[in-house]
Amino acid sequence: MRSKLFVLSTLVLLVTLVLSACGSSATTEAAPEVATEAPEVEETTAPVEEPADEGPLPAVIAFPAEIAGGSPVEITVVQKPADSQPEAVEAWEAQVARFQEMYPNVTITGTDYAYTPDSFAALVAGNQVPTLFEVYLTDPGKMIEQGVAADLTSIFEAQNLDQVFNPDIMSIATQDGRVYGIPRFAYAMGLAYNISMLNAAGYDAPPATWEELAVMAQALTDRDAGVAGFSFITDGSGAAGWHMTTIAYNFGLLNTDIVRQSDTGYAAGFSEGPMLEALQFVYDLRWTYDVLPRENLNWGTNGEALATGRAAMVVMAGDQFTWIRQTYPDAPIDDYGFAPLPAGPNGTSVSLVGGNIAMVSAQATPEQVEAAVYWRLFTQFDPDEIVANFESGASNPTVVVGAPTLPLYVGDYEAALEALQAQYANLPVANYQLFLDAISSGQASMQPEPLIAGQDFYSALGAVVSTVVNDQSADPAAILLQTADTFQTNVLDQLR
Amino acid sequence: MTTLANPSLDTPSPRPPRSRNFWKKQALSYLVILPTLLIFAVMTFGPILTTIVYSFQEVNLTRASEWVGLHNYVRMFGNPLFYTAWKNIAVFLIISILMGFMVPVFLALMVNELRHFGRFFQTIVYLPSLIPIAVALLVWRQIYAPDGGVLNSLLNSIGLPAQLWLQNPDLAKPAIVVIMTWLGAGGSVLIYLSALQEIPTEIYEAAELDGFSPWQRIWYITLPLISSRMQIMLLLQIIVVGQVFTEPFILTTGGPANSTVTPVLELYRTAFERSDFGLASAWSVSLLVVLSLFSIVYVRLSLGRESIQY
């Protein structure tokens, strides 16, 4: 057992090192060197804690001696666990207490609000945006443009944070050289599969191509038992568009082609070509191969289908394994593997990359901005906090370590963090090796989400997916063309 | 046939003529309700006016909005989904009237005829209205589930093929109307029951002496006497169905194939998913115009009930 753990840790460490060297392939820039020592700012701001010389993680933040000059400051922050998870709430409150030991003048009120574009618009309209909030990777641009997010550049510069975070993700939180967000996590889409089901059907590996997937899914589909061979989100919402985009990336769609930017404006570029091929394939999955669930699944029910054995192969982001573990603690988690998505017609597998970015309300005072940012950095970088969180996994079932996500940081910090994660992993990390290897070797390339009106695009495409999988008489080409036209008029022509 | 005017039922008592002292006497009353009236006006007409103003603007939630004239309306009319959504509402209305309108009338008649357990069944009928709608819809999702759902299991047990209730564009609307009827019937039954219980028993006794069968009693006495109530309930049903949102929002997300997209659902998405409050307000105004027409008819009917002659 010990040797297995050692091999596992070594593998993850190796993957991490390779990943760190590659960065994520969305841009070609090399990842800059990481500040492994405390940055210069430490000399001017007396740190509260001495950075540990030989700790499990390098100390990258020099926490200031005081925040807001010691005057009282109140902030509201997201990510407080829901009351239904008492252990997690207790851990969160203990963490707040530790932060307040350092900064007694800061009062933190937590909310379990989870970002969705629709609910957030209501918060903006009602002037109720929490001081610290989080948005999807598609949305920082919108937040900055609407003046909802505060400028965090001065703190980032003081702490040299631009050298710690994965530059690909940082670029999404940056506009005109100003930083507006703190990356929280990043995922890449893959294919989750039920190892036992595949073995029982005579397959010892997940499909390498989409054609193979269709054939395998047919063998795995068992209508009498309510088992679908393959599943992805088809509920007609923006999430369905998100999954459809992921599939279309594998058919050759480029995120920069979805909306083409020119001097004269924006043009929808998804009405034909790879998107149409992918849509036609989805149509065939439903009406020729008949391998999709009868029900139109959403994010939760799609994950649930895997967790409850009602789907054999599922398009999923790696971080959803955490949700499965938390939501279905009795599900046979060791039975699920994670692989890169099957390769498309041109032979490559492409993974859509997304995630969350923390932002601070533009309505916050400079003192609140400072408190909110340091609170976020405290939970994200304080070595003791990270270790305490991992260790609480023993008694807190909601602490899940080891989901196959993407490196959020670069260099030594990332390497050390992942080594630590491997040590505390309570997910079967070895089952995700196909995915991690494919990402680190470049066999699966990565593409960011569409950044121009991304959520609007997902929303429009979601309705197309709903039509194609529910209406046999639907003509994918005609629907896609009409949707692109409407998207052009109603969304793109409105952009400035 | 006896000719009778029934003052207790549908004929409002004649209004007292306004004397010169009317305002003198009533001034205090009006003064007392003035704050409530003002709050009501601000809370009701304020949002309506704001919506109308928004519909001519490109709305920015954090900065000043810009006037764009009829641009939002041009976009709304240029969107094929606008017509789909209103067509869906028309079909929803037809199905809901055909399938659902008479259900509470029948239920009320049955409960009213019961000599025992009337109150018990009245409660049973009203129970669905007490269940939080989201919970009720989750239960219905299980009933309609394609694999292992209650309804399909029942169909299978009697040898009929399973159906895709919420996934087939042809079935989704009727399936949702069934839920709406189940949810809404309870309230309507109470209203019909109150009307039925206002009918003087002497009329029925006279009819029985004249040899009327139960069906004849319902046809010639009960239904005519509650007909004005039925007219109003019909209009209310049109107004409620015109705003259907929760069922498609939770159960179908407007699908399958946009077959359950409704104006309110689309305006919700436009406003809150795409932050396009100007366009969403134009949708709201279209809804306001259509529903106002029915509301005006409703108010006129409620105020102008005429005495019924028999």
Side-chain angles (χ1 to χ4, degrees):
Chain A
M1 188 66 197
R2 172 170 286 198
S3 67
K4 195 177 172 188
L5 190 65
F6 175 76
V7 172
L8 202 65
S9 311
T10 315
L11 270 172
V12 173
L13 190 63
L14 278 172
V15 166
T16 305
L17 289 170
V18 177
L19 270 174
S20 311
C22 297
S24 74
S25 66
T27 69
T28 49
E29 278 177 45
E33 286 294 311
V34 185
T36 49
E37 294 166 20
E40 284 179 9
V41 71
E42 200 179 343
E43 291 171 16
T44 51
T45 54
V48 176
E49 295 171 2
E50 283 296 318
D53 290 334
E54 298 262 341
L57 289 169
V60 293
I61 303 286
F63 286 98
E66 57 181 19
I67 283 174
S71 56
V73 51
E74 291 181 19
I75 55 171
T76 320
V77 304
V78 293
Q79 295 282 308
K80 181 184 178 182
D83 290 343
S84 56
Q85 301 174 333
E87 298 98 341
V89 172
E90 202 178 306
W92 184 86
E93 282 168 351
Q95 193 172 37
V96 170
R98 290 194 293 273
F99 185 73
Q100 285 174 327
E101 262 173 48
M102 289 165 66
Y103 305 113
N105 59 317
V106 178
T107 308
I108 295 177
T109 309
T111 162
D112 62 356
Y113 170 74
Y115 177 78
T116 55
D118 52 345
S119 59
F120 194 77
L123 292 184
V124 174
N127 274 336
Q128 291 178 337
V129 175
T131 322
L132 181 71
F133 60 95
E134 278 188 32
V135 302
Y136 300 150
L137 272 185
T138 46
D139 289 353
K142 189 165 82 176
M143 298 297 152
I144 299 165
E145 194 266 324
Q146 290 181 347
V148 176
D151 186 338
L152 313 177
T153 315
S154 59
I155 300 177
F156 261 72
E157 284 177 350
Q159 298 286 357
N160 289 332
L161 280 174
D162 53 337
Q163 296 184 24
V164 178
F165 284 106
N166 184 333
D168 295 334
I169 302 169
M170 265 325 290
S171 66
I172 296 170
T174 309
Q175 199 172 82
D176 302 328
R178 311 300 295 175
V179 178
Y180 293 88
I182 306 167
R184 291 286 293 149
F185 81 90
Y187 65 79
M189 304 295 287
L191 186 76
Y193 56 97
N194 187 312
I195 298 167
S196 302
M197 282 187 183
L198 262 65
N199 288 344
Y203 299 108
D204 56 3
T209 65
W210 288 95
E211 286 76 21
E212 211 176 306
L213 175 135
V215 174
M216 281 175 70
Q218 259 186 326
L220 290 159
T221 300
D222 180 354
R223 291 285 168 213
D224 293 337
V227 176
F230 174 64
S231 164
F232 70 104
I233 301 175
T234 54
D235 69 343
S237 70
W242 169 55
H243 270 199
M244 187 65 228
T245 305
T246 299
I247 296 173
Y249 278 179
N250 288 277
F251 282 74
L253 180 73
L254 298 176
N255 72 325
T256 45
D257 279 352
I258 293 171
V259 174
R260 297 193 185 105
Q261 193 171 1
S262 70
D263 295 340
T264 51
Y266 301 96
F270 59 87
S271 61
E272 50 186 21
M275 177 58 91
L276 181 55
E277 281 175 49
L279 197 62
Q280 187 63 52
F281 177 72
V282 165
Y283 179 90
D284 292 341
L285 283 178
R286 172 65 184 89
W287 301 107
T288 307
Y289 299 102
D290 192 16
V291 296
L292 298 178
R294 286 282 183 256
E295 209 157 347
N296 297 149
L297 305 185
N298 58 30
W299 185 87
T301 47
N302 187 52
E304 181 190 286
L306 180 75
T308 55
R310 287 191 297 109
M313 299 182 286
V314 170
V315 172
M316 220 175 77
D319 66 293
Q320 202 173 355
F321 281 112
T322 303
W323 177 85
I324 288 178
R325 176 75 179 206
Q326 289 168 337
T327 316
Y328 300 94
D330 298 329
I333 200 87
D334 292 337
D335 230 3
Y336 313 137
F338 198 51
L341 289 166
N346 54 9
T348 51
S349 163
V350 184
S351 225
L352 178 143
V353 177
N356 275 17
I357 283 186
M359 302 187 109
V360 179
S361 168
Q363 292 191 325
T365 62
E367 292 77 20
Q368 285 178 315
V369 172
E370 195 184 356
V373 171
Y374 277 112
W375 159 252
R376 188 75 296 159
L377 297 177
F378 173 72
T379 62
Q380 217 162 321
F381 286 105
D382 187 292
D384 294 339
E385 288 304 314
I386 291 167
V387 172
N389 179 44
F390 286 171
E391 280 180 348
S392 69
S395 60
N396 179 354
T398 62
V399 175
V400 182
V401 186
T405 54
L406 288 182
L408 195 60
Y409 314 103
V410 283
D412 291 352
Y413 186 78
E414 176 66 30
L417 181 65
E418 293 209 12
L420 197 65
Q421 272 175 345
Q423 198 181 325
Y424 286 98
N426 54 10
L427 284 177
V429 181
N431 288 2
Y432 314 142
Q433 215 54 52
L434 280 175
F435 172 81
L436 294 170
D437 287 348
I439 296 282
S440 59
S441 67
Q443 177 208 335
S445 65
M446 286 182 276
Q447 246 198 93
E449 300 188 85
L451 289 175
I452 302 167
Q455 293 296 334
D456 303 83
F457 166 71
Y458 285 160
S459 192
L461 190 59
V464 175
V465 173
S466 167
T467 306
V468 165
V469 299
N470 288 304
D471 183 359
Q472 192 168 7
S473 66
D475 173 5
I479 298 163
L480 200 57
L481 189 62
Q482 191 195 53
T483 303
D485 279 352
T486 311
F487 182 71
Q488 179 72 46
T489 329
N490 270 4
V491 179
L492 297 182
D493 289 351
Q494 311 308 315
L495 298 174
R496 301 277 163 84
Chain B
M1 275 260 185
T2 337
T3 301
L4 65 91
N6 178 13
S8 68
L9 188 63
D10 284 317
T11 317
S13 45
R15 283 185 191 174
R18 291 191 179 183
S19 70
R20 250 179 288 162
N21 288 334
F22 176 81
W23 286 110
K24 206 174 171 185
K25 283 182 186 167
Q26 299 296 323
L28 183 64
S29 316
Y30 278 94
L31 205 64
V32 170
I33 63 165
L34 187 65
T36 315
L37 271 181
L38 277 177
I39 292 170
F40 181 76
V42 169
M43 302 296 280
T44 308
F45 295 110
I48 292 176
L49 287 177
T50 311
T51 304
I52 294 171
V53 171
Y54 274 4
S55 73
F56 297 104
Q57 290 183 330
E58 185 185 321
V59 180
N60 190 309
L61 292 177
T62 49
R63 287 190 285 269
S65 301
E66 288 174 36
W67 292 96
V68 292
L70 291 172
H71 186 57
N72 288 325
Y73 289 93
V74 173
R75 289 169 65 203
M76 178 179 77
F77 290 121
N79 186 349
L81 208 55
F82 178 77
Y83 305 98
T84 308
W86 278 106
K87 203 176 89 188
N88 286 342
I89 280 295
V91 179
F92 265 125
L93 271 175
I94 293 167
I95 302 175
S96 81
I97 290 168
L98 290 177
M99 281 175 55
F101 179 65
M102 287 309 284
V103 170
V105 179
F106 283 126
L107 286 173
L109 284 171
M110 283 160 62
V111 171
N112 197 44
E113 289 293 321
L114 286 174
R115 289 183 191 275
H116 303 288
F117 305 116
R119 291 265 171 211
F120 173 73
F121 283 103
Q122 198 173 319
T123 313
I124 294 283
V125 168
Y126 193 66
L127 270 182
S129 310
L130 299 176
I131 302 172
I133 187 163
V135 177
L137 291 176
L138 292 180
V139 173
W140 275 97
R141 176 179 280 165
Q142 291 307 312
I143 294 174
Y144 283 143
D147 299 316
V150 177
L151 195 54
N152 278 346
S153 303
L154 276 175
L155 286 180
N156 284 335
S157 67
I158 55 171
L160 291 173
Q163 299 295 324
L164 298 172
W165 297 104
L166 294 173
Q167 292 76 31
N168 179 341
D170 297 329
L171 289 179
K173 280 195 204 79
I176 283 181
V177 167
V178 168
I179 302 175
M180 287 161 69
T181 308
W182 177 81
L183 278 170
S188 308
V189 166
L190 288 191
I191 292 171
Y192 284 128
L193 268 178
S194 73
L196 290 173
Q197 280 156 12
E198 283 170 12
I199 300 175
T201 46
E202 294 84 12
I203 304 177
Y204 288 119
E205 285 163 8
E208 273 185 53
L209 287 176
D210 286 345
F212 276 40
S213 71
W215 281 115
Q216 283 174 315
R217 286 203 318 251
I218 291 172
W219 189 252
Y220 290 111
I221 299 173
T222 313
L223 288 180
L225 279 176
I226 63 168
S227 65
S228 64
R229 209 67 66 100
M230 287 170 70
Q231 281 175 8
I232 289 169
M233 294 306 290
L234 178 67
L235 276 163
L236 274 180
Q237 185 173 343
I238 292 172
I239 292 167
V240 170
V241 174
Q243 300 176 72
V244 61
F245 167 75
T246 318
E247 290 85 356
F249 180 68
I250 291 184
L251 287 178
T252 59
T253 334
N258 284 334
S259 64
T260 59
V261 166
T262 65
V264 182
L265 180 65
E266 186 51 26
L267 83 84
Y268 172 85
R269 288 173 175 173
T270 307
F272 297 110
E273 287 178 8
R274 302 197 274 281
S275 302
D276 197 340
F277 288 86
L279 181 60
S281 299
W283 277 80
S284 302
V285 172
S286 78
L287 199 69
L288 181 72
V289 169
V290 174
L291 295 184
S292 294
L293 294 177
F294 288 106
S295 302
I296 290 166
V297 179
Y298 166 74
V299 171
R300 289 183 72 90
L301 272 179
S302 326
L303 292 178
R305 289 186 213 161
E306 289 165 12
S307 63
I308 301 165
Q309 303 291 313
Y310 298 93

